[in-house]
Amino acid sequence: MIVKQISVFLENKPGSIEELTNDTGKAGINIEALTIAETAEFGIVRMIVDDWEHARDALDPEYQIRVTDVIRVAPKDEPGKLSEVLRKLSESGINVSYMYGYAKGDQPYLIMKVSDPEKAATLIAQDVQ
Amino acid sequence: MIWNKPREAMDGEAMRNLQGERLKKTVDRVYHNVPFYREKMQAMGLEPGDIASIDDIVKLPFTTKQDLRDNYPFGLAATHKNDFVRIHASSGTTGKPTAVPHTRHDLEVFAECVCRSICCTGGTSEDVVQVAYGYGLFTGGLGLHDGATKLGAGVIPISGGNTNNQLTLMQDFGTTILACTPSYALFLSEALRDAGVDTSNLPLRIGIFGAEPWTANMKKEIEDGLNIEAFDIYGLSEIMGPGVSCSCPEKNGLHVCEDHFYPEIIDPDTFEQVGDGVTGELVFTHLTKEAMPLIRYRTRDLSALYHGDCACGRSNVRMDRVKGRSDDMLIIRGVNVFPSQVESVLLDLPEVEPHYMIIVDRKGTLDTIEVQVEIKDAAFSDEIGEVEALAAKIKAKLDSSLRVSTKVTPVQHKTIERSQGKARRVIDNRKKD
């Protein structure tokens, strides 16, 4: 399914992630997944949260943020399942910009930024939760 | 209409001859009447006879604001005090004020130059000029007043402030030209909107704005809000007041009344003259001033000059609208860099906020300049590559404008101090040698 990802611009310096998580905590935002893409000077924190609209409104005044459509896939926790999902996308010419995984209980999830989220979601509907 | 075509459209060579003649007379007068200049010239081994043409101006000493303060009030006067008919003064925000006396002839030149300026914007004797500059020691109000009167326009001497009255008289008297500071014009435009006045129904057509710096965005906002064409008028009280130069409908610079004020652009570091189109510090020499002629007065304003005929019919040299103050200049690897250049690049980029911080440092023997910018939400991306590409684009624009290699660092939202009048825009970490 398509989910909303909140991306936040942070400077690459001590305390900036702590400050962000302190702000999300105070705003009552629960982070389901988090990953950081970084350079020497700055980082982009990408998060999946429980209520993206609330997170957007709470963080927007203080941070540069961006809401992006990404797809969430819940493949079976078995060898080869991820490659099956990715093959469907590549056969349809859909590009994956980045992906990251997390788990809830025994269920693994993958978040993918793809070139065409709607088409991707349809293609892999049975693998998607 | 060109008010004084013989002067304003004068052939370049004839103008230089006229300037040379006038400079010789001025130097002769200050040498014999102003001890300050006589002593300076003698110390340099100069005599009035050494000045044969306008090109010899480079031999002459500079005059600074501090010289005016040191000789306050009339130490630099070249005439007897009895010949003064008006004395303007600037408030002394950093100590002593400065006084600027005028003879009757000086005021006639003042009115002539402002009259030329109003005509330069398209004004005629049929216009109604609302002078909303302050009247008083400040030269704006009386300057525009006398110039518009000389032109034969109808003058509303309302001075600054009292916004309700400004709006009422503007409508009742049919103001066609508004003369004031750009910030007050913006304020009046908003007041008109709030009052529900449709400016397209007003006869107002021209704005003559000056006395403070303003951005291109602000100009557009004023033009749209008041439904007028806005022009720059430039001046400074030490030289005269508004009317030293003014923009024309060609919008390619401000025509300087160069038969009265000789402009030069110098490198503020080496004091050498620079060529056309090169930005540096604007310097003026009085050519006709009687009461207190100044030689090579350093304005600290940054501009550039452009010689050649203008499509408006004038040939008087044009100057850029003032870009900033030379006091702000940084020297990075031998290149002069002004914070205002950084600002104008960023203003043209819709992806970033207009706030910035410049950090200058020295790594070994190499000067470095870092520009911190805030990316706007709309331009921010969840992909590193796009943010880096934006930073690279900003760097490319800055590098080509500044002619030095910069480092562009995107920083977090609101980490850069917001301007409250004078914000600190530069941190120079280099050790002073």
Side-chain angles (χ1 to χ4, degrees):
Chain A
M1 66 183 285
I2 294 177
V3 294
K4 301 285 186 188
Q5 171 189 269
I6 305 275
S7 305
V8 183
F9 179 91
L10 289 182
E11 284 170 54
N12 194 347
K13 64 180 185 192
S16 57
I17 303 173
E18 188 273 325
E19 198 183 315
L20 172 67
T21 51
N22 185 41
D23 287 344
T24 55
K26 276 195 294 190
I29 298 161
N30 194 40
I31 302 170
E32 284 184 23
L34 182 151
T35 182
I36 299 173
E38 93 288 350
T39 70
E41 273 102 31
F42 65 88
I44 299 171
V45 174
R46 301 159 181 156
M47 296 185 289
I48 304 298
V49 297
D50 55 347
D51 180 347
W52 69 271
E53 284 173 314
H54 173 55
R56 176 195 60 194
D57 296 344
L59 298 176
D60 192 34
E62 296 304 320
Y63 298 91
Q64 288 110 316
I65 64 159
R66 167 100 164 214
V67 179
T68 319
D69 283 345
V70 291
I71 57 170
R72 182 165 65 189
V73 196
K76 277 194 184 140
D77 192 10
E78 290 169 10
K81 290 297 171 194
L82 176 57
S83 128
E84 275 175 33
V85 171
L86 291 173
R87 191 175 310 117
K88 288 178 187 169
L89 299 181
S90 61
E91 281 170 357
S92 295
I94 293 172
N95 186 53
V96 179
S97 312
Y98 57 78
M99 59 193 287
Y100 52 100
Y102 66 104
K104 259 189 173 178
D106 290 337
Q107 179 60 56
Y109 293 97
L110 282 161
I111 299 294
M112 294 187 204
K113 166 85 182 282
V114 295
S115 52
D116 186 344
E118 296 205 354
K119 192 175 170 192
T122 319
L123 279 170
I124 53 174
Q126 66 270 41
D127 304 301
V128 167
Q129 281 190 8
Chain B
M1 181 186 73
I2 299 178
W3 176 257
N4 189 340
K5 203 162 184 181
R7 288 283 182 266
E8 293 177 76
M10 200 170 196
D11 162 70
E13 197 51 41
M15 177 60 79
R16 295 184 68 74
N17 288 336
L18 176 72
Q19 288 167 334
E21 287 310 310
R22 289 180 167 181
L23 178 67
K24 278 195 274 182
K25 280 186 194 154
T26 300
V27 170
D28 198 61
R29 287 187 55 241
V30 297
Y31 187 86
H32 291 104
N33 296 295
V34 186
F36 169 83
Y37 283 120
R38 181 166 57 247
E39 284 157 21
K40 270 201 162 189
M41 285 176 66
Q42 283 172 342
M44 296 166 85
L46 266 181
E47 285 182 6
D50 296 327
I51 306 301
S53 78
I54 193 66
D55 294 328
D56 292 326
I57 197 163
V58 295
K59 297 176 182 170
L60 292 165
F62 290 102
T63 311
T64 65
K65 182 100 175 171
Q66 190 56 44
D67 294 328
L68 296 195
R69 290 200 190 103
D70 292 346
N71 291 282
Y72 176 82
F74 306 128
L76 298 182
T79 57
H80 193 272
K81 202 175 158 188
N82 288 352
D83 295 324
F84 300 167
V85 296
R86 194 194 292 164
I87 302 156
H88 280 287
S90 72
S91 58
T93 45
T94 54
K96 268 194 272 186
T98 51
V100 184
H102 298 264
T103 65
R104 188 170 304 283
H105 180 258
D106 293 338
L107 289 185
E108 280 165 11
V109 169
F110 196 166
E112 157 83 16
C113 293
V114 175
C115 184
R116 287 184 196 177
S117 297
I118 298 171
C119 291
C120 202
T121 69
T124 71
S125 61
E126 289 168 23
D127 277 298
V128 175
V129 186
Q130 183 160 339
V131 181
Y133 279 114
Y135 279 63
L137 286 174
F138 170 60
T139 49
L142 285 164
L144 263 294
H145 181 103
D146 287 352
T149 303
K150 184 178 176 76
L151 174 61
V155 177
I156 309 175
I158 191 164
S159 192
N162 200 343
T163 304
N164 284 338
N165 212 19
Q166 301 272 1
L167 302 193
T168 305
L169 299 193
M170 179 181 286
Q171 295 171 79
D172 294 352
F173 295 176
T175 300
T176 56
I177 298 180
L178 175 67
C180 60
T181 59
S183 57
Y184 195 53
L186 197 57
F187 185 77
L188 286 178
S189 147
E190 282 161 7
L192 279 166
R193 193 188 57 211
D194 293 346
V197 178
D198 180 1
T199 47
S200 62
N201 292 331
L202 295 178
L204 197 60
R205 64 189 191 96
I206 290 171
I208 302 178
F209 306 125
E212 63 186 22
W214 48 319
T215 62
N217 285 349
M218 194 169 163
K219 182 172 197 158
K220 185 164 183 340
E221 222 172 301
I222 294 169
E223 288 188 325
D224 293 346
L226 290 173
N227 193 30
I228 56 168
E229 198 175 346
F231 294 86
D232 284 288
I233 193 164
Y234 171 83
L236 61 170
S237 64
E238 299 91 319
I239 295 304
M240 179 178 84
V244 170
S245 66
C246 190
S247 63
C248 71
E250 297 298 320
K251 301 286 161 67
N252 55 6
L254 288 74
H255 288 285
V256 180
C257 294
E258 59 172 318
D259 50 330
H260 295 292
F261 320 104
Y262 185 74
E264 297 171 84
I265 299 289
I266 59 161
D267 182 320
D269 192 35
T270 64
F271 307 125
E272 298 286 331
Q273 276 187 6
V274 298
D276 266 20
V278 181
T279 298
E281 182 178 338
L282 187 56
V283 171
F284 280 109
T285 298
H286 279 123
L287 296 177
T288 56
K289 177 95 179 185
E290 289 182 344
M292 198 173 89
L294 300 179
I295 305 295
R296 305 191 86 193
Y297 182 70
R298 293 184 56 187
T299 65
R300 305 279 172 184
D301 287 331
L302 296 171
S303 185
L305 293 178
Y306 303 89
H307 288 85
D309 295 342
C310 177
C312 75
R314 291 171 184 81
S315 58
N316 281 174
V317 63
R318 285 164 284 129
M319 59 178 260
D320 268 339
R321 65 193 304 190
V322 170
K323 292 172 174 170
R325 306 271 299 164
S326 64
D327 315 41
D328 303 333
M329 188 182 80
L330 297 163
I331 301 170
I332 312 290
R333 280 167 257 154
V335 178
N336 298 343
V337 171
F338 301 100
S340 54
Q341 291 174 286
V342 172
E343 186 165 340
S344 76
V345 168
L346 295 183
L347 275 172
D348 283 342
L349 289 165
E351 297 96 340
V352 292
E353 303 283 350
H355 314 288
Y356 61 91
M357 180 63 83
I358 297 170
I359 297 158
V360 181
D361 214 327
R362 183 170 287 149
K363 304 262 161 66
T365 55
L366 193 67
D367 296 330
T368 60
I369 175 166
E370 175 187 351
V371 180
Q372 296 186 338
V373 297
E374 289 181 17
I375 296 174
K376 283 187 185 165
D377 274 2
F380 171 57
S381 168
D382 56 311
E383 298 198 28
I384 290 277
E386 289 182 22
V387 177
E388 286 188 324
L390 175 57
K393 175 184 160 187
I394 299 167
K395 174 183 159 55
K397 298 237 178 205
L398 283 171
D399 289 5
S400 92
S401 168
L402 269 46
R403 289 177 294 121
V404 292
S405 178
T406 57
K407 179 184 171 199
V408 170
T409 310
V411 296
Q412 259 168 260
H413 202 42
K414 289 185 180 167
T415 49
I416 295 168
E417 183 193 354
R418 274 13 183 187
S419 167
Q420 299 285 344
K422 275 187 185 265
R424 199 156 97 111
R425 293 278 182 230
V426 179
I427 296 171
D428 195 338
N429 292 323
R430 292 177 295 189
K431 286 194 186 111
K432 299 279 177 240
D433 298 325

